[in-house]
Amino acid sequence: MNKPKKKIAVFTSIRSEYGTLKPLLSKILQENETDMDILAGGAHLLTDYGMTINEIIADGFTVKHKFPFLFTDKTHDVETRSVAVLAQQISDYFLREKPDVLVVIGDRFELLPVVNAALILNIPIAHISGGEVTEGAIDNQVRHAVSKMAHLHLVATSYFKENLMRMGEEEWRIKVCGELCLDEIPHMPLLSKQDLFSTLGLDIAKEVFLVTFHTETIQNTISPALIASVLDKIKVAYPDVQVLATAANFDAGGQEINTMLAARKDIWFVPSLGKIKYFSMLRFASLVLGNSSSGLVEVQSFQIPVVNVGKRQQNRLANPNVLHVAADVEQIIIGINEALSLEFRQQFEGIENVYGQGNSTSLMYNFIVSNMDHEQLLLKRTVFQ
């Protein structure tokens, strides 16, 4: 009798997570050594955030387990109520399906009830993107908390590995893999400029600034009023530039940003471009503006400048194409001017991405599968540095 396959569960609740996880999901499906449960919930199930579960399905994946945990009202405790609901939903799934390992990525607050339930139920946790630093948001504490609960760590650089070891994680549990989101870039069927601009209703003869702002969850300085003022200034300083804005995520205040963006008639607002259109736009945009992690991690691979605003990504490892500015309208405009200069571009043109060269998927997959039966996997010891 054939031995039943082990099961890998992968949790995702937002478009950026799925976009990064997609190569690993494809690898798990392709190898067919294990069963896979994709656990999709949160913003994936909300129309206001692009109903991105449809992207997962369109890519050929089966989503059998959906978690509609997010409240969307305007009350101040929407996040705490949402994670309380998710705690119950995810616990029911773990008790029913009993996966052999749970894969999570990053630092979203909704990871806490997921990994908490897995830890209590003795389900090993493999965490992608530990050891990084973003001191301007609660994401920083969430990431480190998840790392301490996780049993395997798949990190982008040796620097992040060293951070985890300084936190007391055993070296054998950590694998330097590079950044997973870079793997698809060389192989993705990107759109031509004509097709992309036509699909989005953009003028092919004009430049584009690609804009994504999220709120800061500590001492928030990113407000709809600030972003609106920046957009007004851009229209004056760069009257022929088209602004293409994508949605803020569902952190507190994100919906207010999206409402403001959707109401403007002088920009193009798309809640979610999807991976192909997003990467295609990075080939043709003149500038990326905002505070998304993508600006620090992925955009260097497309050799265009990034103006990173405020403290959300504070102290995160950045590529040389990133110019950091304060959340101040005048400073942002000065930053845009500098980032577009030939002198600034010469600092990063031809430089390799510090987050890797696009060979992460196999490294991650092999490390997870080869350690699922490790006799010490659940028995973590702390190595104080």
Side-chain angles (χ1 to χ4, degrees):
M1 181 178 295
N2 291 333
K3 187 177 180 180
K5 291 181 180 178
K6 290 185 175 292
K7 181 183 291 185
I8 297 175
V10 185
F11 178 81
T12 172
S13 66
I14 196 168
R15 69 176 191 259
S16 57
E17 287 177 342
Y18 169 67
T20 301
L21 287 166
K22 183 183 171 185
L24 181 60
L25 300 179
S26 297
K27 179 71 171 176
I28 296 170
L29 203 60
Q30 172 191 336
E31 294 297 331
N32 199 32
E33 291 181 89
T34 66
D35 290 328
M36 177 173 65
D37 279 354
I38 296 176
L39 315 180
H44 284 309
L45 308 179
L46 298 180
T47 302
D48 286 348
Y49 293 90
M51 192 59 76
T52 47
I53 190 170
N54 293 331
E55 294 179 23
I56 303 175
I57 296 168
D59 286 335
F61 298 111
T62 299
V63 182
K64 294 187 296 185
H65 307 282
K66 302 174 186 176
F67 301 86
F69 62 88
L70 275 182
F71 290 91
T72 57
D73 55 69
K74 300 290 179 64
T75 58
H76 69 280
D77 64 338
V78 62
E79 288 91 355
T80 55
R81 288 189 292 133
S82 294
V83 296
V85 171
L86 177 56
Q88 182 64 62
Q89 292 176 348
I90 201 73
S91 296
D92 290 344
Y93 162 79
F94 287 146
L95 289 166
R96 184 177 66 252
E97 299 294 336
K98 299 178 174 60
D100 295 284
V101 66
L102 168 71
V103 176
V104 296
I105 185 168
D107 48 29
R108 296 288 311 164
F109 70 87
E110 58 270 29
L111 291 183
L112 292 176
V114 176
V115 297
N116 184 62
L119 181 71
I120 292 171
L121 295 173
N122 282 325
I123 296 169
I125 301 159
H127 182 213
I128 301 171
S129 298
E132 302 185 19
V133 178
T134 52
E135 293 176 347
I138 63 168
D139 302 8
N140 202 50
Q141 291 98 309
V142 171
R143 184 189 310 105
H144 296 331
V146 173
S147 289
K148 292 310 298 179
M149 288 190 271
H151 305 87
L152 297 173
H153 307 281
L154 305 120
V155 302
T157 72
S158 58
Y159 175 69
F160 300 150
K161 174 182 176 178
E162 292 168 5
N163 284 348
L164 285 175
M165 291 179 65
R166 282 194 289 268
M167 290 169 60
E169 295 301 297
E170 299 167 274
E171 186 172 9
W172 72 265
R173 297 181 183 272
I174 310 168
K175 180 69 174 179
V176 177
C177 302
E179 183 60 51
L180 185 60
C181 63
L182 303 179
D183 279 22
E184 285 190 296
I185 294 174
H187 314 291
M188 188 171 289
L190 300 179
L191 301 176
S192 68
K193 188 173 184 180
Q194 179 66 53
D195 289 344
L196 177 64
F197 279 50
S198 176
T199 298
L200 296 172
L202 295 165
D203 186 337
I204 197 170
K206 294 182 177 181
E207 293 184 66
V208 174
F209 290 174
L210 182 56
V211 175
T212 304
F213 277 99
H214 304 299
T215 59
E216 296 169 347
T217 48
I218 300 175
Q219 298 178 338
N220 186 32
T221 60
I222 306 297
S223 66
L226 172 77
I227 300 167
S229 295
V230 171
L231 296 175
D232 291 341
K233 287 280 190 178
I234 288 174
K235 285 301 175 181
V236 173
Y238 299 93
D240 292 328
V241 167
Q242 303 166 105
V243 173
L244 175 62
T246 61
N249 59 33
F250 56 84
D251 287 333
Q255 187 57 55
E256 288 77 6
I257 291 175
N258 296 338
T259 299
M260 179 276 296
L261 293 172
R264 291 188 70 110
K265 305 301 183 186
D266 57 349
I267 68 169
W268 283 256
F269 174 63
V270 181
S272 175
L273 283 170
K275 208 60 176 283
I276 291 178
K277 286 198 285 255
Y278 178 70
F279 279 156
S280 297
M281 181 53 68
L282 290 180
R283 295 171 65 197
F284 306 117
S286 299
L287 177 88
V288 171
L289 171 67
N291 60 1
S292 170
S293 61
S294 177
L296 281 70
V297 176
E298 297 160 283
V299 180
Q300 173 66 30
S301 296
F302 292 87
Q303 301 285 289
I304 62 173
V306 174
V307 177
N308 178 65
V309 179
K311 297 181 179 180
R312 184 178 176 92
Q313 305 297 337
Q314 184 169 304
N315 286 334
R316 190 177 206 139
L317 179 66
N319 276 287
N321 66 323
V322 178
L323 183 66
H324 300 282
V325 299
D328 172 84
V329 176
E330 298 302 326
Q331 291 301 310
I332 293 169
I333 298 302
I334 291 171
I336 291 173
N337 294 337
E338 181 180 346
L340 293 173
S341 69
L342 177 61
E343 183 180 10
F344 184 76
R345 293 189 69 96
Q346 289 174 337
Q347 296 178 23
F348 65 84
E349 286 182 341
I351 304 298
E352 290 186 346
N353 195 316
V354 299
Y355 282 90
Q357 303 308 310
N359 59 346
S360 301
T361 304
S362 293
L363 293 172
M364 287 190 181
Y365 173 80
N366 292 334
F367 188 67
I368 293 169
V369 171
S370 64
N371 282 287
M372 289 173 70
D373 290 320
H374 196 293
E375 62 180 9
Q376 298 295 312
L377 190 56
L378 288 170
L379 298 173
K380 289 188 68 174
R381 59 186 290 264
T382 299
V383 183
F384 292 106
Q385 300 296 315

